[in-house]
Every structure is written in C-alpha cells, then in structure tokens.
Amino acid sequence: QVQLVESGGGLVQAGGSLRLSCVASGRTFSSYAMGWFRRAPGKERDFVATIAWSGGSTGYADSVKGRFTISRDNAKRTVYLQMNSLKPEDTAVYYCAARSSAYTLGSPYQSEYSYWGQGTQVTVSS
C-alpha cells in the first residue's frame, strides 16, 4: 500500500509559477513510476506528466510541454511538478499517482495507476 499526499497548490497570477510536491509513505517509493494528473472544473481528469522510477524518463501532455517539469527525489520519497508560465486554463485540482510496481516506466493512462492522492487545488487568475 502507498499513501500519497500532495501540497503546494494555491492561487497565482497568469505567468507565475508554482511547485507541487507529493510525498509518499508505505511501500518502497523508488519502485514506482509516478504521474501527475489534473481535473479542471466541469471536465474529466487528464494526464499532465509522468516519470519513471529512476527519474531517467519523463513524459508530458502537449498542453504543458515546455512549461512544466516533473522530477523526483527517491531519498525524500517525493515527486515534484514545477509549473512555470501558468495560464488560466491550468486551473484544476492536481493529483499525483503511483503506477503499479510491475512497471518501471511512466504512463499517461490513469487506469495503470494503483494509488492516488487527494489532490491539491491550483487556481490561475488572468
């Protein structure tokens, strides 16, 4: 079992930056590929970014590529999402997720993630 707790959300003006953190507890964090997803108001939850267990491979949604960076520190059991050049359309609840330990690489598919955090709200004002 893995427990995930996100933090770092808040209100920011367009063009600003935020860094989200997700701390894991429970089973060996370094075994899990991780992902960030988001749910905008009135929309379904969508993929944002993913990172392999080693941190050596990452992937991003086209909408955030070049603006967001996912990283991890396995010693701190934490995965990060650095968000720069934020836009009002980035407003959403952001969730981190841990993929099944059977996989070492990340994935954009929600169904392949076994554990989810409660989410942190990010609001970008225009």
Side-chain angles (χ1 to χ4, degrees), residues 20-65:
L20 305 184
S21 299
C22 173
V23 179
S25 60
R27 299 184 67 178
T28 307
F29 172 73
S30 60
S31 302
Y32 292 85
M34 300 294 293
W36 285 96
F37 296 79
R38 66 185 182 187
R39 188 194 302 273
K43 296 186 178 181
E44 295 187 350
R45 189 165 58 188
D46 289 330
F47 166 70
V48 176
T50 188
I51 188 167
W53 70 274
S54 66
S57 173
T58 59
Y60 298 91
D62 288 343
S63 59
V64 307
K65 203 170 292 183

CSV table of all heavy atoms in Angstrom, one decimal, residues 20-65:
chain,number,residue,atom,x,y,z
A,20,LEU,N,4.5,21.9,-7.1
A,20,LEU,CA,3.7,20.9,-6.3
A,20,LEU,C,4.6,19.8,-5.9
A,20,LEU,O,5.6,19.5,-6.5
A,20,LEU,CB,2.6,20.3,-7.2
A,20,LEU,CG,1.6,21.3,-7.9
A,20,LEU,CD1,0.5,20.5,-8.6
A,20,LEU,CD2,1.0,22.3,-6.9
A,21,SER,N,4.3,19.3,-4.7
A,21,SER,CA,5.0,18.2,-4.1
A,21,SER,C,4.1,17.1,-3.8
A,21,SER,O,2.9,17.3,-3.4
A,21,SER,CB,5.8,18.6,-2.8
A,21,SER,OG,6.7,19.6,-3.1
A,22,CYS,N,4.6,15.9,-3.9
A,22,CYS,CA,3.8,14.7,-3.5
A,22,CYS,C,4.7,13.8,-2.7
A,22,CYS,O,5.7,13.3,-3.2
A,22,CYS,CB,3.2,14.0,-4.7
A,22,CYS,SG,2.4,12.4,-4.4
A,23,VAL,N,4.3,13.6,-1.4
A,23,VAL,CA,5.1,12.8,-0.5
A,23,VAL,C,4.5,11.4,-0.4
A,23,VAL,O,3.3,11.3,-0.2
A,23,VAL,CB,5.3,13.4,0.8
A,23,VAL,CG1,6.1,12.5,1.8
A,23,VAL,CG2,6.0,14.8,0.7
A,24,ALA,N,5.3,10.4,-0.5
A,24,ALA,CA,4.7,9.0,-0.4
A,24,ALA,C,5.1,8.3,0.8
A,24,ALA,O,6.3,8.5,1.3
A,24,ALA,CB,5.2,8.2,-1.6
A,25,SER,N,4.3,7.5,1.4
A,25,SER,CA,4.6,6.7,2.5
A,25,SER,C,4.1,5.3,2.2
A,25,SER,O,3.3,5.1,1.3
A,25,SER,CB,3.9,7.2,3.8
A,25,SER,OG,2.5,7.3,3.7
A,26,GLY,N,4.6,4.3,3.0
A,26,GLY,CA,4.2,3.0,2.7
A,26,GLY,C,5.3,2.2,2.1
A,26,GLY,O,6.4,2.2,2.6
A,27,ARG,N,4.9,1.5,1.0
A,27,ARG,CA,5.9,0.6,0.4
A,27,ARG,C,7.0,1.4,-0.3
A,27,ARG,O,6.9,2.6,-0.5
A,27,ARG,CB,5.2,-0.4,-0.5
A,27,ARG,CG,4.2,-1.2,0.2
A,27,ARG,CD,3.5,-2.2,-0.7
A,27,ARG,NE,4.5,-3.2,-1.2
A,27,ARG,CZ,4.1,-4.3,-2.0
A,27,ARG,NH1,2.9,-4.4,-2.4
A,27,ARG,NH2,5.0,-5.1,-2.3
A,28,THR,N,8.0,0.7,-0.8
A,28,THR,CA,9.2,1.3,-1.4
A,28,THR,C,8.8,2.3,-2.5
A,28,THR,O,8.4,1.9,-3.6
A,28,THR,CB,10.1,0.3,-1.9
A,28,THR,OG1,10.4,-0.7,-0.9
A,28,THR,CG2,11.4,0.9,-2.4
A,29,PHE,N,9.0,3.6,-2.3
A,29,PHE,CA,8.6,4.6,-3.2
A,29,PHE,C,9.4,4.5,-4.5
A,29,PHE,O,8.9,4.7,-5.6
A,29,PHE,CB,8.9,6.0,-2.6
A,29,PHE,CG,8.7,7.1,-3.5
A,29,PHE,CD1,7.5,7.5,-4.0
A,29,PHE,CD2,9.8,7.8,-4.0
A,29,PHE,CE1,7.3,8.6,-4.8
A,29,PHE,CE2,9.7,8.9,-4.8
A,29,PHE,CZ,8.4,9.3,-5.3
A,30,SER,N,10.7,4.2,-4.4
A,30,SER,CA,11.6,4.1,-5.6
A,30,SER,C,11.2,3.1,-6.6
A,30,SER,O,11.7,3.1,-7.7
A,30,SER,CB,13.0,4.0,-5.2
A,30,SER,OG,13.2,2.8,-4.4
A,31,SER,N,10.3,2.2,-6.2
A,31,SER,CA,9.9,1.1,-7.1
A,31,SER,C,8.8,1.6,-8.1
A,31,SER,O,8.5,0.9,-9.0
A,31,SER,CB,9.3,-0.1,-6.3
A,31,SER,OG,10.2,-0.6,-5.4
A,32,TYR,N,8.2,2.7,-7.8
A,32,TYR,CA,7.0,3.1,-8.5
A,32,TYR,C,7.3,4.3,-9.5
A,32,TYR,O,7.9,5.3,-9.2
A,32,TYR,CB,6.0,3.6,-7.6
A,32,TYR,CG,5.4,2.5,-6.7
A,32,TYR,CD1,6.0,2.2,-5.5
A,32,TYR,CD2,4.2,1.9,-7.1
A,32,TYR,CE1,5.5,1.2,-4.7
A,32,TYR,CE2,3.7,0.9,-6.3
A,32,TYR,CZ,4.3,0.5,-5.1
A,32,TYR,OH,3.8,-0.5,-4.4
A,33,ALA,N,6.8,4.1,-10.7
A,33,ALA,CA,6.7,5.2,-11.7
A,33,ALA,C,5.6,6.1,-11.1
A,33,ALA,O,4.6,5.6,-10.5
A,33,ALA,CB,6.4,4.7,-13.1
A,34,MET,N,5.7,7.4,-11.4
A,34,MET,CA,4.7,8.3,-10.8
A,34,MET,C,4.2,9.2,-11.9
A,34,MET,O,4.8,9.4,-13.0
A,34,MET,CB,5.4,9.2,-9.8
A,34,MET,CG,6.1,8.5,-8.6
A,34,MET,SD,4.8,7.7,-7.6
A,34,MET,CE,4.0,9.1,-6.9
A,35,GLY,N,3.0,9.7,-11.6
A,35,GLY,CA,2.4,10.6,-12.6
A,35,GLY,C,1.6,11.7,-11.9
A,35,GLY,O,1.3,11.6,-10.7
A,36,TRP,N,1.4,12.8,-12.6
A,36,TRP,CA,0.6,13.9,-12.2
A,36,TRP,C,-0.6,14.0,-13.2
A,36,TRP,O,-0.4,13.9,-14.4
A,36,TRP,CB,1.3,15.2,-12.2
A,36,TRP,CG,2.3,15.4,-11.1
A,36,TRP,CD1,3.6,15.2,-11.0
A,36,TRP,CD2,1.9,15.9,-9.7
A,36,TRP,NE1,4.1,15.5,-9.8
A,36,TRP,CE2,3.1,15.9,-9.0
A,36,TRP,CE3,0.7,16.3,-9.1
A,36,TRP,CZ2,3.1,16.3,-7.6
A,36,TRP,CZ3,0.8,16.7,-7.8
A,36,TRP,CH2,1.9,16.7,-7.1
A,37,PHE,N,-1.8,14.2,-12.7
A,37,PHE,CA,-3.0,14.4,-13.4
A,37,PHE,C,-3.7,15.6,-12.9
A,37,PHE,O,-3.4,16.0,-11.8
A,37,PHE,CB,-3.9,13.1,-13.3
A,37,PHE,CG,-3.2,11.9,-13.9
A,37,PHE,CD1,-2.3,11.2,-13.2
A,37,PHE,CD2,-3.6,11.4,-15.2
A,37,PHE,CE1,-1.7,10.0,-13.8
A,37,PHE,CE2,-3.0,10.3,-15.8
A,37,PHE,CZ,-2.0,9.6,-15.0
A,38,ARG,N,-4.7,16.1,-13.7
A,38,ARG,CA,-5.5,17.2,-13.2
A,38,ARG,C,-6.9,17.1,-13.7
A,38,ARG,O,-7.2,16.6,-14.7
A,38,ARG,CB,-4.9,18.5,-13.6
A,38,ARG,CG,-4.9,18.8,-15.1
A,38,ARG,CD,-4.1,20.0,-15.5
A,38,ARG,NE,-4.1,20.3,-16.9
A,38,ARG,CZ,-3.5,21.3,-17.5
A,38,ARG,NH1,-2.7,22.1,-16.7
A,38,ARG,NH2,-3.5,21.5,-18.8
A,39,ARG,N,-7.8,17.7,-12.8
A,39,ARG,CA,-9.2,17.8,-13.2
A,39,ARG,C,-9.6,19.2,-13.2
A,39,ARG,O,-9.7,19.8,-12.1
A,39,ARG,CB,-10.1,16.9,-12.3
A,39,ARG,CG,-11.5,16.9,-12.7
A,39,ARG,CD,-12.4,16.3,-11.6
A,39,ARG,NE,-12.0,15.0,-11.1
A,39,ARG,CZ,-12.4,13.9,-11.7
A,39,ARG,NH1,-13.2,13.9,-12.7
A,39,ARG,NH2,-12.0,12.8,-11.1
A,40,ALA,N,-9.9,19.8,-14.3
A,40,ALA,CA,-10.4,21.2,-14.4
A,40,ALA,C,-11.9,21.2,-14.1
A,40,ALA,O,-12.6,20.2,-14.2
A,40,ALA,CB,-10.1,21.7,-15.8
A,41,PRO,N,-12.4,22.3,-13.7
A,41,PRO,CA,-13.8,22.4,-13.4
A,41,PRO,C,-14.7,22.0,-14.5
A,41,PRO,O,-14.5,22.4,-15.7
A,41,PRO,CB,-14.1,23.9,-13.1
A,41,PRO,CG,-12.7,24.4,-12.7
A,41,PRO,CD,-11.7,23.6,-13.4
A,42,GLY,N,-15.6,21.0,-14.3
A,42,GLY,CA,-16.5,20.5,-15.3
A,42,GLY,C,-15.9,19.6,-16.3
A,42,GLY,O,-16.6,19.3,-17.3
A,43,LYS,N,-14.7,19.2,-16.1
A,43,LYS,CA,-14.0,18.3,-17.1
A,43,LYS,C,-13.6,17.0,-16.4
A,43,LYS,O,-13.5,16.9,-15.2
A,43,LYS,CB,-12.9,19.0,-17.7
A,43,LYS,CG,-13.3,20.2,-18.5
A,43,LYS,CD,-12.1,20.8,-19.3
A,43,LYS,CE,-12.5,22.0,-20.1
A,43,LYS,NZ,-11.3,22.6,-20.8
A,44,GLU,N,-13.2,16.1,-17.2
A,44,GLU,CA,-12.6,14.8,-16.7
A,44,GLU,C,-11.2,15.0,-16.3
A,44,GLU,O,-10.5,15.9,-16.8
A,44,GLU,CB,-12.8,13.7,-17.8
A,44,GLU,CG,-14.2,13.4,-18.1
A,44,GLU,CD,-14.3,12.2,-19.0
A,44,GLU,OE1,-13.3,11.7,-19.6
A,44,GLU,OE2,-15.4,11.7,-19.2
A,45,ARG,N,-10.7,14.1,-15.5
A,45,ARG,CA,-9.3,14.1,-15.1
A,45,ARG,C,-8.4,13.8,-16.3
A,45,ARG,O,-8.6,12.8,-17.0
A,45,ARG,CB,-9.1,13.2,-13.9
A,45,ARG,CG,-7.7,13.3,-13.3
A,45,ARG,CD,-7.7,12.6,-11.9
A,45,ARG,NE,-8.1,11.2,-12.0
A,45,ARG,CZ,-8.3,10.4,-11.0
A,45,ARG,NH1,-8.2,10.9,-9.8
A,45,ARG,NH2,-8.6,9.2,-11.1
A,46,ASP,N,-7.3,14.5,-16.5
A,46,ASP,CA,-6.5,14.4,-17.6
A,46,ASP,C,-5.0,14.2,-17.2
A,46,ASP,O,-4.6,14.6,-16.1
A,46,ASP,CB,-6.5,15.6,-18.5
A,46,ASP,CG,-7.8,15.7,-19.3
A,46,ASP,OD1,-8.4,14.7,-19.6
A,46,ASP,OD2,-8.2,16.9,-19.6
A,47,PHE,N,-4.3,13.6,-18.0
A,47,PHE,CA,-2.8,13.4,-17.8
A,47,PHE,C,-2.1,14.7,-17.9
A,47,PHE,O,-2.4,15.5,-18.8
A,47,PHE,CB,-2.3,12.4,-18.9
A,47,PHE,CG,-0.8,12.3,-19.0
A,47,PHE,CD1,-0.1,11.7,-18.0
A,47,PHE,CD2,-0.2,12.8,-20.1
A,47,PHE,CE1,1.3,11.7,-18.0
A,47,PHE,CE2,1.2,12.7,-20.2
A,47,PHE,CZ,2.0,12.2,-19.2
A,48,VAL,N,-1.1,14.8,-17.0
A,48,VAL,CA,-0.2,16.0,-17.1
A,48,VAL,C,1.3,15.6,-17.4
A,48,VAL,O,1.9,16.1,-18.3
A,48,VAL,CB,-0.3,16.8,-15.8
A,48,VAL,CG1,0.7,18.0,-15.8
A,48,VAL,CG2,-1.7,17.3,-15.5
A,49,ALA,N,1.8,14.8,-16.5
A,49,ALA,CA,3.2,14.4,-16.6
A,49,ALA,C,3.5,13.1,-15.9
A,49,ALA,O,2.7,12.7,-15.0
A,49,ALA,CB,4.1,15.5,-16.0
A,50,THR,N,4.5,12.4,-16.3
A,50,THR,CA,4.9,11.1,-15.7
A,50,THR,C,6.4,11.0,-15.7
A,50,THR,O,7.1,11.6,-16.5
A,50,THR,CB,4.2,10.0,-16.5
A,50,THR,OG1,4.4,8.7,-15.8
A,50,THR,CG2,4.8,9.8,-17.9
A,51,ILE,N,6.9,10.1,-14.7
A,51,ILE,CA,8.3,9.9,-14.6
A,51,ILE,C,8.5,8.5,-14.2
A,51,ILE,O,7.8,7.9,-13.4
A,51,ILE,CB,8.9,10.9,-13.5
A,51,ILE,CG1,10.4,10.9,-13.5
A,51,ILE,CG2,8.2,10.7,-12.1
A,51,ILE,CD1,11.0,12.0,-12.7
A,52,ALA,N,9.6,7.9,-14.8
A,52,ALA,CA,10.0,6.5,-14.4
A,52,ALA,C,10.5,6.4,-13.0
A,52,ALA,O,10.8,7.4,-12.4
A,52,ALA,CB,11.0,6.1,-15.4
A,53,TRP,N,10.6,5.2,-12.5
A,53,TRP,CA,11.0,5.0,-11.1
A,53,TRP,C,12.4,5.6,-10.9
A,53,TRP,O,12.7,6.1,-9.8
A,53,TRP,CB,11.0,3.5,-10.8
A,53,TRP,CG,12.1,2.7,-11.5
A,53,TRP,CD1,12.0,2.2,-12.7
A,53,TRP,CD2,13.4,2.5,-11.0
A,53,TRP,NE1,13.2,1.6,-13.1
A,53,TRP,CE2,14.1,1.7,-12.0
A,53,TRP,CE3,14.1,2.7,-9.8
A,53,TRP,CZ2,15.4,1.3,-11.9
A,53,TRP,CZ3,15.4,2.3,-9.7
A,53,TRP,CH2,16.0,1.6,-10.7
A,54,SER,N,13.3,5.6,-11.9
A,54,SER,CA,14.6,6.0,-11.8
A,54,SER,C,14.7,7.5,-12.0
A,54,SER,O,15.8,8.1,-11.7
A,54,SER,CB,15.5,5.3,-12.8
A,54,SER,OG,15.2,5.7,-14.1
A,55,GLY,N,13.7,8.1,-12.5
A,55,GLY,CA,13.8,9.5,-12.9
A,55,GLY,C,14.4,9.8,-14.3
A,55,GLY,O,14.5,10.9,-14.7
A,56,GLY,N,14.8,8.7,-14.9
A,56,GLY,CA,15.6,8.8,-16.2
A,56,GLY,C,14.7,9.1,-17.4
A,56,GLY,O,15.2,9.4,-18.5
A,57,SER,N,13.4,8.9,-17.2
A,57,SER,CA,12.5,9.0,-18.4
A,57,SER,C,11.3,9.8,-17.9
A,57,SER,O,10.7,9.5,-16.8
A,57,SER,CB,12.1,7.7,-18.9
A,57,SER,OG,11.1,7.7,-19.8
A,58,THR,N,10.9,10.8,-18.7
A,58,THR,CA,9.7,11.6,-18.4
A,58,THR,C,8.8,11.7,-19.6
A,58,THR,O,9.2,11.5,-20.7
A,58,THR,CB,10.1,13.0,-17.9
A,58,THR,OG1,10.8,13.7,-18.9
A,58,THR,CG2,10.9,12.9,-16.6
A,59,GLY,N,7.6,12.1,-19.4
A,59,GLY,CA,6.6,12.4,-20.5
A,59,GLY,C,5.6,13.5,-20.0
A,59,GLY,O,5.3,13.6,-18.8
A,60,TYR,N,5.1,14.2,-21.0
A,60,TYR,CA,4.3,15.3,-20.7
A,60,TYR,C,3.1,15.4,-21.7
A,60,TYR,O,3.2,15.0,-22.9
A,60,TYR,CB,5.0,16.6,-20.8
A,60,TYR,CG,6.2,16.8,-19.9
A,60,TYR,CD1,7.5,16.3,-20.2
A,60,TYR,CD2,6.0,17.3,-18.6
A,60,TYR,CE1,8.5,16.4,-19.3
A,60,TYR,CE2,7.0,17.4,-17.7
A,60,TYR,CZ,8.3,16.9,-18.0
A,60,TYR,OH,9.3,17.0,-17.1
A,61,ALA,N,2.0,15.9,-21.2
A,61,ALA,CA,0.9,16.3,-22.1
A,61,ALA,C,1.4,17.5,-23.0
A,61,ALA,O,2.1,18.3,-22.6
A,61,ALA,CB,-0.3,16.7,-21.3
A,62,ASP,N,0.8,17.5,-24.2
A,62,ASP,CA,1.2,18.6,-25.1
A,62,ASP,C,0.9,20.0,-24.5
A,62,ASP,O,1.7,20.9,-24.8
A,62,ASP,CB,0.5,18.4,-26.5
A,62,ASP,CG,1.1,17.2,-27.3
A,62,ASP,OD1,2.2,16.8,-27.0
A,62,ASP,OD2,0.4,16.8,-28.2
A,63,SER,N,-0.1,20.0,-23.8
A,63,SER,CA,-0.6,21.3,-23.3
A,63,SER,C,0.4,21.9,-22.2
A,63,SER,O,0.3,23.1,-22.0
A,63,SER,CB,-2.0,21.2,-22.6
A,63,SER,OG,-2.0,20.2,-21.6
A,64,VAL,N,1.2,21.1,-21.6
A,64,VAL,CA,2.2,21.6,-20.6
A,64,VAL,C,3.6,21.5,-21.0
A,64,VAL,O,4.5,22.0,-20.3
A,64,VAL,CB,1.9,20.9,-19.3
A,64,VAL,CG1,0.5,21.0,-18.9
A,64,VAL,CG2,2.4,19.4,-19.3
A,65,LYS,N,3.9,20.9,-22.1
A,65,LYS,CA,5.3,20.6,-22.6
A,65,LYS,C,6.0,22.0,-22.7
A,65,LYS,O,5.5,22.9,-23.3
A,65,LYS,CB,5.2,19.9,-23.9
A,65,LYS,CG,6.5,19.1,-24.2
A,65,LYS,CD,6.3,18.2,-25.4
A,65,LYS,CE,5.3,17.0,-25.1
A,65,LYS,NZ,5.2,16.1,-26.2
